[in-house]
């Protein structure tokens, strides 16, 4: 593809079409671009289009997004599969030559996309394959053009922010040192020069906005570079940085104040980032930060006291409160907070004002219920005032429990009295009281169980009985919705503390709130019911089983389905999850509701398939459908045909319209239905009509499809191998096997498919392909020997020995290359079999190796005989030592399901819990592999008495003792 004007115009036309709202225009354009992106010069053509000033800006932005996604999809794709590089080497070099300069002179809308692309390339190539990047960026600091400098800083921030969360490793230390050697001093010089410029341009509002924007980015880069450890350069220059931070916290530039109450301005962003930076130092570099601590506590306190309640200050206040929490946790700073007057001031001036619900919060509650829920119960409110105030309350109540009890006790009394005086006007006071108690009493908990550790001074069940249950019992479920939501959340959060009796009295009240008009209230009610139904007692029995639910079942199920008809809750994930959980608890007791539930669920699926936009809702919808199939078909196996009749048209529509989000689910559901038919006769025709499509290469290019498709193909092989043979589709299946084995991420799927072929496919046709199959396995072994692959090949060959014989395997392997069987024993089995992780797989290996030792004459031939005692030695190690960790997986090698967040948009595979494949034990008849070894060796010793003692003689005495122990346990003799 040449970089010509005609091609640029053609590309621009297709990019315009990808912006169309009409899927009939948009999808063909997207597919065409995807099909041409692997041609040489495609990315260079995109960069030329982005750089073309006379081109329409919308098209240039679309081009920048397309370029970023191209980089995400392709830059590192070959690292996984050992396949060919999808980007030509000359294109890679040209991209790295052009992109920084292009990014820095582009408008902001393009700069962001290109900066992200630089970060993705940098993740894989920097510093080893792109060492000049950092010098190229640092050089631009001297340009004096702050639009360019900010572009460099934005890229540096994108590139280095992964240092904040990456695991420590030698490679990471080396990279950070490489960056610090080149960046730390220029960044510090830039900080000082920029601070100076704030004075020089103090009367130029436009310049100040850009300059303070630079300071925000400088601070972000500082945070990233200091996240892993305290660099020596920054320690030596700590006075410079802390002095600048103090000035930045105090900076008040009238021209930069914004009239907007909601969106934070550059000053708010700057102070918030300073608070984040000093919080990092207070947490991690206590000793070095000590001289500055008191100065910063004073500065942050003064900032908090004078900062108003407007939404634009939320991030700033949140980070400032987090800083105070970190300081209060430190033993040697507790003297600052010990004075009861200071504690009372903190409570009065900082905690209570930031716990109160504000008009802006009420607005979100009513107009953006999803946003409110996300912040309030999903823990994504890390930057909200309420969360930070709650954390500060928790820290203070842990470290100063007695003093805080008195202060907060008085406030609680005051808030509840105010509410009693006039509930209609003062309901906000009670809402604050509930939040205060929640944060004051909480000491620790989990997502699964809610709060599990609490302060002994706070009587939570009593507070629930006096203050929470009366709110839930109010006849009008639509009265004071914010307060209702807080009361329901209290029950949900403290469910493990309140106990079954209290929860049993709350459950009917929660169900009663399912029809509430407020989205937040009915979502919280559904969420609380779902979480209560997951609770188990000490013996792992469900606390609220079908018998306890019986009086409320009708109201619960009908209430949940009715909630899905309420405005704004048609795709409410909490409600769908509660339906799933209710059916899961009820099991066969849910049968009476299936007649109504199934048509409704199918109708919902048909509707959401038109525009899948709620991934969690969709997941629970498919979970519920899978669970319904399970429940109904357990009661009546012939009901599977009714499910097929209802669901097949919807599934076919999803597959025909290529709705990628739903495909992994559809393949799982088809597997469930097909597996339900096992042993009932032939596979119905609609499945066979679908079968050829399942082998289409395009489907297998999407990572999310791989696991469910392998399972579905395996179900076809298990039940319809004769038909597959008649259709001549074995070569297609072997093509899939070849693709899987070549992939580090999916090689385990290749082994699973191969095991199914050997177990269920007509042996004659498979045998003719075995040499080629084994050849592919050894080819991958020599090219890319990962710990996971070694484990997989050992398990597979053990399975082969059990299924056929060791002799057949040895002969076949030596046909590929003389003495290759010996190499397999020496370099793979003997050294690596102890690393096989799963118990069932270890049993397979143990039995396979036992058969190699006792039933394979080839291993006794002269060239292989020395391996016999070593193989037995490794087998005893397998029994006696715990599985060795797969080091390759620990350091980030793909384990088969991990998705790289930077690999471009790919629909991930999400396993449906209620559609789990059943685990098949191929060796169910062998209960103890040690005893199997002992009895097999005993028979072998009798058959080859003279030879056996010679084979056994090199074994160390302690290993012989272990072997004797196995024989004693099995009641056999070997000598």
């Amino acid at each position: 593809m040449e970089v010509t004007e005609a091609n640029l115009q053609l590309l621009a036309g297709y990019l315009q079409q990808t912006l169309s709202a009409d899927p009939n225009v948009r999808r063909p354009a997207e597919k065409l671009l995807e099909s041409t992106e692997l041609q040489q010069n495609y990315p260079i053509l995109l960069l030329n289009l982005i750089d073309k000033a006379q081109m329409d800006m919308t098209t240039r932005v679309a081009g920048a997004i397309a370029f970023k996604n191209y980089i995400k999809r392709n830059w590192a794709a070959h690292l996984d599969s050992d396949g060919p590089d999808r980007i030509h080497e000359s294109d890679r070099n040209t991209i790295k030559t052009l992109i920084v300069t292009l990014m820095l002179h582009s408008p902001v809308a393009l700069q962001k996309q290109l900066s992200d692309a630089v970060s993705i390339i940098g993740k894989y190539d920097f510093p080893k394959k792109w060492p000049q990047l950092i010098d190229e960026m640092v050089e631009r600091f001297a340009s004096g053009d702050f639009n360019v400098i900010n572009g460099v800083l934005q890229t540096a921030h994108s590139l280095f922010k992964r240092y904040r969360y990456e695991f420590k490793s030698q490679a990471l230390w080396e990279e950070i040192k490489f960056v610090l050697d080149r960046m730390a001093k220029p960044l510090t010089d830039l900080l000082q020069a920029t601070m100076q410029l704030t004075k020089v341009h103090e009367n130029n509002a436009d310049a100040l906005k850009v300059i303070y924007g630079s300071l925000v980015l400088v601070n972000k880069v500082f945070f990233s570079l200091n996240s892993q450890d305290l660099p020596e350069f920054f320690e030596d220059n700590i006075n410079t940085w802390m002095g600048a931070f103090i000035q930045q916290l105090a900076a008040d530039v009238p021209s930069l104040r914004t009239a907007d109450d909601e969106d934070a301005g550059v000053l708010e962003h700057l102070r918030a980032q300073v608070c984040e930076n000093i919080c990092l130092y207070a947490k991690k570099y206590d000793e070095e930060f000590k001289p500055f601590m008191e100065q910063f506590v004073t500065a942050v306190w003064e900032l908090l006291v004078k900062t108003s309640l407007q939404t634009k200050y939320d991030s700033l206040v949140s980070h400032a409160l987090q800083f105070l929490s970190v300081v209060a946790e430190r033993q040697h700073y507790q003297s600052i907070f010990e004075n009861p007057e200071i504690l009372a001031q903190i409570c009065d001036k900082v905690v209570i004002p930031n716990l109160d619900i504000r008009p802006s919060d009420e607005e979100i509650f009513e107009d953006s219920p999803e946003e409110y829920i996300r912040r309030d119960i999903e823990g994504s409110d890390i930057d909200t005032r309420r969360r930070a105030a709650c954390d500060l309350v928790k820290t203070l109540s842990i470290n100063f429990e007695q003093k805080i009890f008195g202060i907060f006790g008085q406030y609680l009394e005051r808030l509840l009295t105010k509410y009693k005086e006039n509930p209609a006007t003062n309901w906000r006071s009670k809402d604050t009281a509930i939040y205060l108690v929640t944060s004051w009493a909480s000491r620790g908990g989990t997502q699964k169980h809610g709060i599990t550790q609490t302060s002994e001074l706070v009587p939570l069940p009593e507070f629930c009985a006096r203050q929470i249950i009366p709110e839930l019992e109010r006849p009008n479920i639509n009265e004071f919705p914010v307060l209702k939501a807080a009361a329901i959340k209290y029950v949900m959060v403290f469910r493990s503390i309140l106990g079954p009796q209290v929860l049993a009295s709350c459950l009917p009240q929660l169900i009663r709130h399912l029809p509430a008009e407020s989205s937040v209230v009915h979502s919280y009610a559904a969420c609380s019911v779902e979480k209560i139904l997951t609770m188990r007692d000490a013996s792992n029995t469900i606390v609220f089983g079908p018998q306890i639910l019986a009086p409320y079942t009708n109201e619960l199920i009908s209430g949940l389905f009715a909630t899905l008809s309420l405005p704004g809750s048609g795709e409410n994930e909490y409600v769908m999850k509660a339906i799933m959980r209710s059916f899961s608890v009820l099991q066969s007791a849910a049968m009476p509701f299936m007649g109504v539930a199934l048509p409704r669920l199918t109708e919902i699926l048909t509707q959401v398939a038109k525009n899948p936009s709620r991934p969690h809702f969709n997941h629970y919808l498919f979970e519920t459908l899978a669970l319904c199939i399970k429940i109904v078909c357990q009661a009546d196996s012939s009901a599977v045909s009714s499910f097929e009749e209802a669901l097949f048209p919807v599934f076919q529509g999803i597959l025909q319209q290529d709705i990628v989000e739903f495909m992994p689910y559809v393949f799982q559901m088809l597997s469930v239905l097909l597996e339900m038919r096992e042993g009932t006769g032939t596979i119905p025709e609609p499945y066979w009509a679908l079968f050829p499509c399942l082998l289409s290469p395009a489907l297998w290019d999407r990572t999310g499809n791989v696991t469910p498709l392998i399972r579905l193909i395996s179900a076809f092989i298990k039940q319809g191998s004769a038909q597959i043979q008649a259709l001549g589709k074995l070569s297609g299946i072997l093509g899939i096997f070849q693709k899987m084995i070549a992939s580090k991420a999916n090689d385990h799927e290749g082994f699973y498919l191969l095991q199914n072929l050997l177990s269920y496919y007509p042996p004659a046709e498979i045998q003719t392909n075995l040499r080629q199959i084994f050849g592919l396995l050894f080819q991958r072994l020599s090219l890319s020997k990962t710990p996971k692959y070694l484990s997989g090949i050992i398990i597979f060959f053990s399975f082969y020995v059990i299924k056929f014989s060791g002799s057949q395997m040895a002969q076949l392997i030596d046909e590929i290359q003389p003495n290759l069987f010996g190499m397999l024993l020496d370099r793979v089995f003997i050294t690596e079999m102890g690393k096989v992780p799963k118990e069932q797989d270890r049993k397979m290996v143990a039995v396979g190796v036992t058969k190699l030792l006792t039933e394979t004459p080839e291993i006794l031939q002269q060239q292989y005989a020395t391996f016999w005692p070593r193989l037995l030695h490794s087998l005893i190690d397998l029994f006696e030592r715990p599985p060795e960790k797969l080091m390759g997986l620990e350091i980030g090698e793909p384990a088969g399901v991990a998705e790289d967040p930077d690999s471009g948009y790919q629909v991930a595979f999400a396993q449906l819990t209620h559609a789990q494949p059943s685990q098949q034990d191929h060796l169910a008849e062998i209960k103890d592999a040690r005893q199997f070894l002992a009895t097999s060796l005993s028979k072998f010793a009798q058959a080859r008495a003279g030879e056996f003692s010679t084979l056994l003689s090199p074994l160390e005495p302690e290993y012989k003792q272990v072997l004797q122990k196995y024989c004693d346990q099995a009641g056999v003799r070997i000598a």
Side-chain angles (χ1 to χ4, degrees):
M1 182 181 284
E2 295 303 313
V3 181
T4 63
E5 187 60 34
N7 280 340
L8 277 172
Q9 293 305 327
L10 200 62
L11 180 60
Y14 286 125
L15 286 168
Q16 281 287 3
Q17 287 173 25
T18 64
L19 303 174
S20 169
D22 182 354
N24 297 318
V25 175
R26 186 179 69 249
R27 282 190 182 148
E30 287 169 347
K31 287 197 169 174
L32 190 129
L33 287 176
E34 212 173 308
S35 67
T36 56
E37 70 177 21
L38 298 184
Q39 291 182 31
Q40 190 167 359
N41 286 332
Y42 172 80
I44 313 308
L45 194 65
L46 268 176
L47 288 178
N48 274 274
L49 181 140
I50 295 161
D51 194 27
K52 214 168 171 56
Q54 57 269 46
M55 189 73 73
D56 175 60
M57 183 51 88
T58 323
T59 308
R60 292 172 74 193
V61 171
I65 294 167
F67 178 78
K68 179 186 73 176
N69 289 334
Y70 164 84
I71 295 293
K72 276 185 176 181
R73 273 195 299 273
N74 299 305
W75 197 267
H78 63 295
L79 299 178
D80 160 49
S81 64
D82 292 324
D85 192 340
R86 294 163 79 167
I87 301 179
H88 293 262
E89 190 59 32
S90 63
D91 284 355
R92 283 179 179 273
N93 294 330
T94 308
I95 288 167
K96 287 192 280 194
T97 305
L98 297 176
I99 192 164
V100 175
T101 306
L102 173 58
M103 176 196 72
L104 294 177
H105 74 237
S106 293
V108 176
L110 303 175
Q111 205 171 68
K112 175 75 179 76
Q113 304 300 330
L114 293 170
S115 174
D116 287 348
V118 171
S119 308
I120 297 160
I121 298 169
K123 180 182 173 184
Y124 298 104
D125 285 21
F126 177 78
K128 288 185 179 166
K129 294 182 190 171
W130 201 5
Q132 71 274 25
L133 171 64
I134 202 89
D135 296 326
E136 206 179 330
M137 286 164 60
V138 169
E139 275 171 24
R140 309 302 173 106
F141 284 168
S143 69
D145 180 345
F146 270 88
N147 289 318
V148 169
I149 290 169
N150 285 359
V152 171
L153 289 169
Q154 182 61 55
T155 303
H157 169 52
S158 301
L159 198 59
F160 305 146
K161 68 181 174 190
R162 64 188 178 86
Y163 300 161
R164 300 177 179 195
Y165 51 79
E166 284 221 348
F167 289 119
K168 290 176 168 60
S169 70
Q170 188 59 34
L172 184 67
W173 289 132
E174 286 171 8
E175 183 183 325
I176 293 175
K177 185 181 183 311
F178 179 88
V179 171
L180 288 166
D181 289 348
R182 288 157 179 78
M183 176 69 90
K185 187 178 185 311
L187 189 73
T188 307
D189 293 344
L190 180 65
L191 169 80
Q192 290 175 297
T194 312
M195 289 297 293
Q196 195 58 41
L197 286 171
T198 60
K199 296 169 187 166
V200 173
H201 294 283
E202 61 186 349
N203 297 318
N204 183 339
D206 292 340
L208 285 176
K209 192 170 182 182
V210 176
I211 290 163
Y212 275 99
S214 291
L215 286 172
V216 174
L217 290 166
V218 166
N219 286 353
K220 284 177 185 289
V221 174
F222 174 89
F223 186 92
S224 299
L225 295 179
N226 283 267
S227 290
Q228 289 282 340
D229 205 351
L230 178 56
E232 190 181 336
F233 184 88
F234 288 120
E235 188 179 348
D236 293 344
N237 290 272
I238 196 167
N239 288 322
T240 302
W241 284 92
M242 296 305 142
F245 290 161
I246 279 287
Q247 286 179 50
Q248 289 168 20
L249 282 179
D252 186 16
V253 184
S255 63
L256 293 182
R257 290 181 200 151
T258 59
D260 195 320
D261 284 350
E262 293 189 6
D263 292 333
V266 69
L267 273 183
E268 288 76 53
H269 286 304
L270 180 66
R271 289 173 183 158
Q273 189 58 51
V274 169
C275 289
E276 210 175 337
N277 290 356
I278 60 174
C279 198
L280 172 76
Y281 264 62
K283 220 184 265 184
K284 291 189 78 170
Y285 314 124
D286 208 5
E287 199 58 43
E288 293 79 7
F289 190 60
K290 207 173 185 178
F292 308 96
M293 183 68 84
E294 217 156 311
Q295 195 182 359
F296 275 109
V297 168
T298 307
V300 168
W301 171 257
E302 285 172 358
L303 190 64
L304 278 169
V305 170
K306 69 181 184 190
T307 301
S308 65
L309 292 171
Q310 289 154 296
T311 312
K312 66 179 174 183
Y313 299 118
D314 283 6
S315 180
L316 166 60
V317 171
S318 167
H319 286 300
L321 290 171
Q322 283 171 41
F323 172 70
L324 290 184
S325 294
V326 169
V327 176
E329 275 172 358
R330 299 290 180 274
Q331 201 71 42
H332 41 272
Y333 300 119
Q334 288 186 359
S335 57
I336 300 172
F337 297 91
E338 271 178 338
N339 184 333
E341 284 180 27
I342 287 178
L343 282 175
Q345 272 195 327
I346 289 172
C347 188
D348 189 38
K349 293 186 175 172
V350 173
V351 171
I352 297 297
N354 286 303
L355 275 181
D356 282 340
I357 191 163
R358 299 167 299 169
S360 59
D361 298 322
E362 289 177 51
E363 207 174 293
I364 294 172
F365 183 96
E366 287 168 18
D367 300 338
S368 309
E370 286 176 34
E371 174 66 13
Y372 185 92
I373 294 166
R374 193 175 62 79
R375 290 180 180 187
D376 193 41
I377 63 169
E378 288 185 6
S380 63
D381 61 344
I382 198 71
D383 280 351
T384 65
R385 293 170 182 251
R386 264 194 161 180
R387 165 58 63 94
C390 286
D391 288 345
L392 181 58
V393 169
K394 197 186 294 184
T395 302
L396 294 174
S397 61
I398 289 169
N399 293 294
F400 314 98
E401 189 165 31
Q402 291 294 342
K403 292 174 183 170
I404 282 292
F405 186 79
I407 294 165
F408 283 161
Q410 288 171 9
Y411 268 98
L412 188 62
E413 193 88 11
R414 215 179 298 167
L415 288 165
L416 292 173
T417 305
K418 191 177 177 186
Y419 169 72
K420 274 182 195 164
E421 285 168 5
N422 188 345
T425 309
N426 300 331
W427 60 264
R428 292 174 189 81
S429 299
K430 186 161 186 180
D431 178 68
T432 305
I434 294 171
Y435 264 88
L436 183 60
V437 169
T438 304
S439 46
W440 173 18
S442 304
R443 291 288 181 274
T446 64
Q447 188 70 33
K448 186 177 179 182
H449 301 290
I451 299 298
T452 51
Q453 298 165 309
T454 57
S455 166
E456 290 174 11
L457 299 179
V458 187
L460 293 167
E462 187 187 325
F463 185 82
C464 183
R466 289 186 175 183
Q467 305 296 341
I468 301 297
I469 292 176
E471 288 305 327
L472 297 179
E473 286 175 340
R474 282 177 175 274
N476 183 357
I477 60 170
N478 296 313
E479 191 180 24
F480 312 142
V482 175
L483 190 52
K484 292 274 191 203
I488 294 170
K489 184 187 170 187
Y490 181 95
V491 175
M492 176 167 51
V493 166
F494 291 114
R495 60 189 179 278
S496 295
I497 304 294
L498 296 175
Q501 251 183 318
V502 175
L503 291 177
S505 63
C506 291
L507 197 58
Q509 296 303 332
L510 295 173
I511 294 168
R512 198 171 68 86
H513 281 78
L514 288 172
E517 288 167 9
S518 162
S519 283
V520 177
V521 172
H522 62 239
S523 296
Y524 279 21
C527 189
S528 301
V529 168
E530 189 274 326
K531 289 188 183 298
I532 288 168
L533 294 185
T534 61
M535 292 175 69
R536 292 175 179 270
D537 61 19
S539 64
N540 204 31
T541 308
I542 289 173
V543 175
F544 294 92
Q547 282 99 341
I548 299 172
L549 276 184
Y552 323 116
T553 306
N554 196 26
E555 197 183 343
L556 171 63
I557 303 297
S558 58
L560 286 167
F561 275 103
T563 306
L564 290 174
S565 302
L566 292 174
S569 277
E571 294 177 34
N572 187 313
E573 66 187 75
Y574 304 100
V575 176
M576 188 50 76
K577 192 177 184 184
I579 293 171
M580 178 201 77
R581 187 72 60 205
S582 303
F583 284 168
S584 178
V585 169
L586 291 168
Q587 290 293 325
S588 58
M591 283 293 285
F593 304 97
M594 290 297 172
V596 175
L598 287 169
R600 184 84 174 89
L601 291 168
T602 312
E603 180 193 327
I604 292 168
L605 178 59
T606 310
Q607 201 55 41
V608 296
K610 291 173 185 172
N611 182 24
S613 55
R614 307 287 174 96
H616 289 102
F617 176 84
N618 298 335
H619 183 84
Y620 296 126
L621 171 59
F622 279 104
E623 283 282 16
T624 308
L625 281 164
L627 181 58
C628 291
I629 293 170
K630 212 167 157 186
I631 291 169
V632 174
C633 292
Q634 271 173 356
D636 175 11
S637 58
S638 65
V640 69
S641 54
S642 305
F643 280 104
E644 289 165 347
E645 208 175 296
L647 295 172
F648 251 67
V650 192
F651 291 168
Q652 282 165 337
I654 289 167
L655 296 174
Q656 282 162 5
Q657 290 163 49
D658 196 24
I659 299 167
V660 291
E661 296 90 339
F662 280 4
M663 282 187 163
Y665 292 121
V666 168
F667 297 139
Q668 285 181 80
M669 297 294 287
L670 288 168
S671 299
V672 169
L673 292 167
L674 197 49
E675 286 159 6
M676 285 285 176
R677 287 191 157 277
E678 207 171 300
T680 60
T682 56
I683 297 174
E685 189 48 45
Y687 286 98
W688 287 116
L690 185 65
F691 184 73
C693 312
L694 303 180
L695 306 180
S696 157
L699 281 183
W700 295 88
D701 286 339
R702 295 174 185 155
T703 53
N705 289 346
V706 170
T707 299
L709 269 176
I710 288 284
R711 178 183 173 188
L712 183 53
I713 296 281
S714 298
F716 272 101
I717 293 167
K718 195 170 182 181
Q719 295 177 53
S721 54
Q723 182 103 1
I724 294 171
Q725 190 178 27
L727 291 167
K729 293 295 182 186
L730 178 63
S731 60
I733 294 173
L734 290 177
I736 290 163
F737 158 74
Q738 186 172 353
K739 185 179 174 73
M740 296 298 103
I741 283 297
S743 160
K744 288 179 191 172
N746 295 318
D747 46 24
H748 62 292
E749 301 290 5
F751 284 122
Y752 179 72
L753 183 61
L754 191 50
Q755 279 194 17
N756 277 290
L757 279 169
L758 291 174
S759 297
Y760 305 111
Y761 200 80
E765 196 181 351
I766 277 286
Q767 292 299 329
T768 59
N769 289 280
L770 272 179
R771 184 170 173 176
Q772 189 189 353
I773 289 168
F774 278 27
L776 287 169
L777 295 178
F778 282 105
Q779 186 184 350
R780 165 68 203 275
L781 188 64
S782 66
L783 287 172
S784 179
K785 188 167 61 175
T786 65
K788 177 167 150 277
Y789 184 77
L790 284 168
S791 180
I793 203 167
I794 291 167
I795 296 161
F796 169 70
F797 279 133
S798 301
F799 168 81
Y800 189 90
V801 169
I802 296 161
K803 178 76 181 165
F804 299 100
S805 74
S807 292
Q808 199 175 322
M809 183 177 90
Q811 287 161 19
L812 197 55
I813 290 172
D814 278 346
E815 278 176 26
I816 296 169
Q817 183 186 316
N819 297 326
L820 187 57
F821 177 60
M823 285 188 236
L824 178 72
L825 295 176
D826 184 27
R827 298 178 195 175
V828 178
F829 270 84
I830 290 168
T831 56
E832 305 293 331
M833 69 192 212
K835 296 174 186 172
V836 172
K838 291 181 185 170
E839 204 50 53
Q840 198 166 301
D841 292 336
R842 287 169 79 81
K843 178 178 162 186
M844 173 90 75
V845 172
V847 173
V849 171
T850 299
K851 284 179 173 285
L852 278 176
L853 290 166
T854 60
E855 298 175 17
T856 309
E858 284 74 8
I859 205 171
L860 303 174
Q861 290 170 4
Q862 190 178 350
Q863 75 266 38
Y864 298 143
T866 54
F867 298 132
W868 197 96
R870 290 174 58 206
L871 196 58
L872 179 59
H873 183 288
S874 292
L875 179 54
I876 293 169
D877 279 343
L878 179 91
F879 287 137
E880 297 301 313
R881 293 182 181 177
E884 292 180 40
K885 285 185 178 175
L886 291 181
M887 293 304 291
L889 299 186
E890 284 191 325
I891 58 169
E893 185 171 294
V897 291
E899 290 294 324
D900 179 355
D902 283 335
S903 63
Y905 179 69
Q906 285 274 7
V907 174
F909 166 64
Q911 174 65 59
L912 294 169
T913 306
H914 297 293
Q916 293 272 14
S918 54
Q919 294 298 315
Q920 190 178 358
D921 185 356
H922 292 278
L923 300 168
E925 71 284 0
I926 297 172
K927 302 297 177 202
D928 187 334
R930 292 174 179 82
Q931 288 193 19
F932 180 77
L933 171 65
T935 50
S936 299
L937 284 175
S938 174
K939 288 175 194 168
F940 180 72
Q942 288 165 23
R944 295 173 178 260
E947 227 174 329
F948 183 69
S949 54
T950 312
L951 288 167
L952 208 58
S953 59
L955 207 64
E956 292 103 317
E958 61 267 34
Y959 281 80
K960 287 179 179 172
Q961 285 171 10
V962 173
L963 206 52
Q964 189 55 54
K965 183 180 76 178
Y966 296 165
C967 293
D968 294 343
Q969 288 167 348
V972 296
R973 294 179 60 193
I974 56 171

